[in-house]
Amino acid sequence: MELQDKLSYFDQNDIHPYAISYDSVETLTVFAEKHNITYPILSDVNSEVIRAFDIFNHLVPKDHRWYGVPFPGTYMVDAKGIVIDKSFYADYGVRDSVARMLQKTFQIDSRGLPVQTIENDDLKARAYLSSGTMRRGQVQTFTLDIALKNNRHIYAPQVTGGYIPTSLTFDPIEEVRINTVTYPNAIHKKMLGENVAVYEKHIRLTTTVLNRKRENFTLSTQLDYQACDDNECYMPQKLTFELPITYLENV
Amino acid sequence: MADPLPNRGNPENDNFLSGPQIGEPVPTFTLPNQWNEPVTYEPNGTHQAFILFHRSADW
């Protein structure tokens, strides 16, 4: 279980996990012993808490053996009991990894996540994933942090007028769905009398990766850009990042 | 093999409108754990919470 593996991060950051299902205590006892689960997994046999949260799956017919299940998902809650983030997918076969939620909501990076850093005269770019392991149906975050150097800027995707836009593309991988890349907001720089959409200093590009594969794979991505400073432009560049991912079986 | 749930498709978590939304409080609860001991969740101002809902541990 991924949460069991990540328990030290929860302890260190004073985050208490509670896992709720409609199973009986007996079912949970067997499950916990089999998988050596030490965090609380809780039995909500009559779905009272599931209903109190208003996430009862009303789409399951009453005579179905799954009647009573919740829409699966996670609430991340602050010390006052207020939701700070939540993770739900209508497709029950898809879920955010615990590593992704810890990173996105609590800014906790897991140890040993795959990272590749490339540095040249234009910039320093660091590509990383929220986890180096993926189970089937899990969603991870891909992040590319770019620090521009030497007062150089690069161009935002929407730039027009002959400038080379910054673009991040992924090699397609069978059974892996890579979402649209989220680019940060551009700043508008006055150049030769016109406003040009550029990036300066530090920017972050992100996307999500949904795995349906049952084997290891490598996420390969290319960053295309051209850097300029106030006086001149430099050679357009293509940087390739490769992040290896180890497949883990679901339990 | 049981029939699939009828809600399959449309994996878009931002538009999931059931349940407490960001900025809203969650209900408190007390439920038995895997050792049949009662576990209570109640905000106490010190620890954050990570509340997961699973379909089942059994299938």
Side-chain angles (χ1 to χ4, degrees):
Chain A
M1 300 300 287
E2 195 199 353
L3 204 155
Q4 185 68 39
D5 299 340
K6 296 275 187 284
L7 219 48
S8 62
Y9 298 104
F10 285 83
D11 291 343
Q12 287 158 19
N13 294 280
D14 214 7
I15 303 166
H16 291 199
Y18 305 85
I20 299 170
S21 70
Y22 81 152
D23 297 304
S24 66
V25 170
E26 293 70 31
T27 299
L28 296 179
T29 304
V30 171
F31 185 79
E33 280 176 8
K34 184 175 172 195
H35 299 290
N36 203 13
I37 293 182
T38 57
Y39 63 87
I41 55 176
L42 306 176
S43 165
D44 186 24
V45 259
N46 295 316
S47 309
E48 283 171 21
V49 174
I50 290 165
R51 286 175 212 268
F53 272 75
D54 192 24
I55 54 167
F56 185 86
N57 189 335
H58 53 85
L59 300 169
V60 180
K62 267 193 176 145
D63 54 358
H64 199 287
R65 75 184 179 100
W66 293 357
Y67 184 75
V69 299
F71 290 111
T74 303
Y75 281 102
M76 286 144 274
V77 180
D78 71 11
K80 291 176 178 157
I82 305 297
V83 177
I84 50 176
D85 207 350
K86 66 196 185 81
S87 164
F88 281 85
Y89 289 91
D91 184 338
Y92 63 81
V94 176
R95 67 207 176 280
D96 284 329
S97 72
V98 172
R100 165 170 153 79
M101 292 187 276
L102 286 176
Q103 184 185 70
K104 177 171 176 270
T105 307
F106 297 106
Q107 291 77 51
I108 299 165
D109 279 341
S110 300
R111 282 177 293 271
L113 48 87
V115 180
Q116 189 184 351
T117 302
I118 297 178
E119 185 165 9
N120 57 26
D121 289 340
D122 302 325
L123 52 77
K124 184 173 182 180
R126 180 173 183 265
Y128 56 100
L129 280 160
S130 48
S131 174
T133 58
M134 276 202 202
R135 291 168 168 86
R136 199 160 183 268
Q138 265 188 347
V139 178
Q140 303 283 4
T141 309
F142 169 89
T143 307
L144 180 67
D145 284 332
I146 301 174
L148 277 303
K149 291 168 53 180
N150 301 319
N151 283 319
R152 295 181 189 183
H153 57 263
I154 56 177
Y155 297 92
Q158 70 269 33
V159 78
T160 54
Y163 299 103
I164 295 175
T166 299
S167 126
L168 185 67
T169 50
F170 289 83
D171 292 353
I173 308 167
E174 209 176 314
E175 296 184 290
V176 176
R177 204 179 74 187
I178 299 159
N179 213 328
T180 313
V181 175
T182 303
Y183 293 87
N185 291 329
I187 59 162
H188 291 88
K189 207 175 162 74
K190 201 91 172 164
M191 287 193 278
L192 302 172
E194 52 180 332
N195 278 317
V196 182
V198 302
Y199 296 133
E200 296 179 329
K201 296 172 183 162
H202 293 87
I203 59 163
R204 171 170 287 181
L205 279 54
T206 59
T207 188
T208 56
V209 180
L210 163 58
N211 176 45
R212 297 236 183 243
K213 246 179 151 50
R214 287 195 168 91
E215 54 188 47
N216 300 345
F217 61 95
T218 297
L219 191 72
S220 181
T221 181
Q222 289 82 41
L223 177 72
D224 287 280
Y225 71 90
Q226 183 175 27
C228 302
D229 59 26
D230 290 343
N231 300 313
E232 60 179 315
C233 284
Y234 302 89
M235 284 288 286
Q237 300 287 332
K238 180 191 278 288
L239 308 181
T240 298
F241 300 87
E242 294 199 327
L243 302 176
I245 293 154
T246 304
Y247 170 71
L248 292 182
E249 268 188 55
N250 286 311
V251 294
Chain B
M1 186 72 188
D3 297 334
L5 289 177
N7 66 321
R8 204 174 170 90
N10 188 29
E12 196 55 67
N13 62 349
D14 290 346
N15 295 327
F16 196 93
L17 296 175
S18 299
Q21 302 296 304
I22 292 169
E24 295 177 354
V26 294
T28 59
F29 55 83
T30 300
L31 289 171
N33 66 10
Q34 63 266 49
W35 304 288
N36 205 18
E37 304 156 346
V39 172
T40 296
Y41 166 71
E42 196 168 16
N44 63 1
T46 59
H47 67 79
Q48 306 178 94
F50 198 86
I51 306 171
L52 303 96
F53 288 91
H54 297 293
R55 286 176 298 149
S56 174
D58 201 23
W59 36 270

